[in-house]
Amino acid sequence: MDATPFLTLSALLFTIGAVGVLVRRNAIVVFMCVELMLNATNLALVTFARVHGQLDGQVAAFFVMVVAAAEVVVGLAIIVSIFRARRSISVDDASLLKY
Amino acid sequence: MTEVLPADGVFGLSWLLVAVPAISAVVLLVGGRRTDRWGHLLGTAAPAFAFVLGVVLFVALLGRGEQERRVGQQLWTWFEVGGLRADFGLLLDPLSALFVLLITGVGSLIHVYSIGYMAHDARRRRFFGYLNLFIAAMLMLVLADNYLALFLGWEGVGLASYLLIGFWQHKNSAAVAAKKAFVVNRVGDMGMVLAIMLMFATFGSVTFEGVAAGIEDASGATQTALGLLLLLGACGKSAQVPLQSWLLDAMEGPTPVSALIHAATMVTAGVYLVVRSGFVYETTEVASTAVVLVGLVTLVVGAIIGCAKDDIKKVLAGSTMSQIGYMMLAAGLGPAGYAFAIFHLITHGFFKANLFLGAGSVMHSMHDDVDMRVYGGLSRLMPVTFVTFAMGYLAIIGFPGFAGFWSKDKVIEAAFADNIWIGIATILAAGVTAFYMTRLMLMTFLGDKRWKSDVHPHESPATMTIPLVVLAVASVLGGVLILGGWIGHFLEPSVGPEEHHDLPIPVLALTAIVTLTVAVGVFIAWRTYGTKEVPVTAPRGSVLTRAARADLYGDALNEAVLMRPGQWTTRWLVWFDNRGLDGGVNGLAALIGGTSGQVRRAQTGYVRSYALAMLGGALLVVVSLLAVTLA
């Protein structure tokens, strides 16, 4: 099996996610981009699992999914409460925790 | 020295000599105000009891054979560390017995006197507490059978003198004088401490017996070092040059304290130490010569200072220095002089206590003014003080028949036999003594009245005059101790047999020369102060007079040689500590603080910049892993 198309797609998705995290200000979008990176990673994990004929990668992907789900729950709750308090979900506005 | 026998019978009580005054001091000082009403009575009873017990022990000692007159009492083991075992032991022998009698006898009289002298002082009870502490410490000093217990008493004496000199602590001068006495004594104490350490290191023992047994076999350097260190200690306590400066300032204390320091306790400790450590000085020519020189210099310096002072107590203080110098000199002469040093010490104790208490009586009636230039003509108003003071005066100048005549003459004889120049110096100093004491007598008791208008002199109460009378009698009769060479013979078990010396001239001729010199001194003083009016303000005086008024620049010397360089050193050290050490540490801290202040700017609070940093970091890790793998 040729893994190159899968890995290319994975790298592409990861890059899009990373750039999204870096350049977007909307917290929801940043969050989605993080999810994109996680899923890109999952793809790479599953691909390598197939290549090597082992289940380790797939198991890891499942873990990532579970953690991502939990993270979404907590993260969205935080975003909602920040929005309620400040009427804004721009990540640049929430910059009080600094030197 | 003869063997030490265990204490039996009445000698088992010798510990009470130290304990009773010590307990009395504790009661008075811890009991506080509750003991105010009867404090002075208890304070006087304690040394009086010690005196009675001292007499009993003395008689018991006389009742024994000559070879059995050294009695030791081991009380308990003080401490035992490694190879060092210090027993708390007492030694009652002829030497310490004489000291016990002097300390408790003269001490008790001074206590009685203080009842009257301090009657109007609100802190009288505390004063008696300190006096008792002084007596207890001094008795500890002379009764110890080892150098360590002696040192306990030694330090106790230093402490008590500090408390008493600074008793009127509201006066700045008294507080400063007390501090000075303490600090100067500390220098001498260092000598004692080092000597004790050296003894332990060399002999493994600090008892008199142990050191005496080992000293012969020790190296010459050790013997000399031991002698010089002990001499340093003796100089501090006995106010000998170069540690003499505290004694004149110590006059700030109440007059009974001066009497106690000068006559019975404190300054005699140095002489005691040298005589007690005779076995050390007999092995080392250098140290014993140093003792003689110290004594010689001090006796001349003290006499010169005494001539120029107008403060009645300071004249007496100068004379104490001078007389202690005589004793030191005699003690340094070895077996030929020990007995005479102690003899002079005892007679000096009598007449100097007499003189100081007499001076106190005069001050008492002159509103505590000490300037002799405003005295004069007191002999008729204070007859008892005058007559008793005159007895002390005749004793100190060495008027034939009085106590000082016998004792000083013996010291001069011993000095003469040793070295003719030292002998001549002691004779001249005797003449100077006669001069300044006559000056004091004339300015205080005779001549015109020069009192200030509000002063009404009167005789002192009986509590003050009775001790004066007793001491005056002792000053007259103190010479009996030498009859038939008794004192030398009595002290033999402690200091060894008296060495007989050959004089280049007959003894009688020497005595005549001394008496003649004294007469000349008296005559010059009479010509200067007896026939002319004494000016109320001191004339400028010659160079020597001005130098003597300034204590022969002893303080200036100390200041220039020790104090100033010491201050410079401390200032430099403080500077080095602040700038050098602290500067380095503080600089490092400031550097780290500044750097972190810059670094924390990176924490902007913008999530996206953190994300960038994370990405960059992750990329860095990946790139470096790849680089390692591919390389």
Side-chain angles (χ1 to χ4, degrees), chain B residues 54 74 101 105 166 174 229 242 294 315 336 432 483 489 499 518 524 562 610-611:
Chain B
Q74 293 301 323
L101 289 183
L229 287 171
V294 163
V315 176
V432 179
L483 282 184
H489 197 64
E499 256 175 34
V518 167
I524 295 175
L562 302 170
Y610 301 161

Side-chain angles (χ1 to χ4, degrees), chain B residues 181-199:
Chain B
F182 200 73
V183 170
V184 175
N185 266 294
R186 196 103 321 242
V187 178
D189 293 346
M190 276 317 292
M192 274 296 283
V193 172
L194 291 175
I196 292 172
M197 288 178 188
L198 185 61
M199 279 170 204

Side-chain angles (χ1 to χ4, degrees), chain A residues 22-24 92 95 98-99, chain B residues 601 603-606 608 612:
Chain A
L22 290 182
V23 301
R24 297 303 297 261
D92 283 5
S95 66
K98 60 182 176 185
Y99 57 87
Chain B
R601 294 265 154 204
Q603 186 140 16
T604 54
Y606 293 112
R608 295 183 303 137
L612 183 62

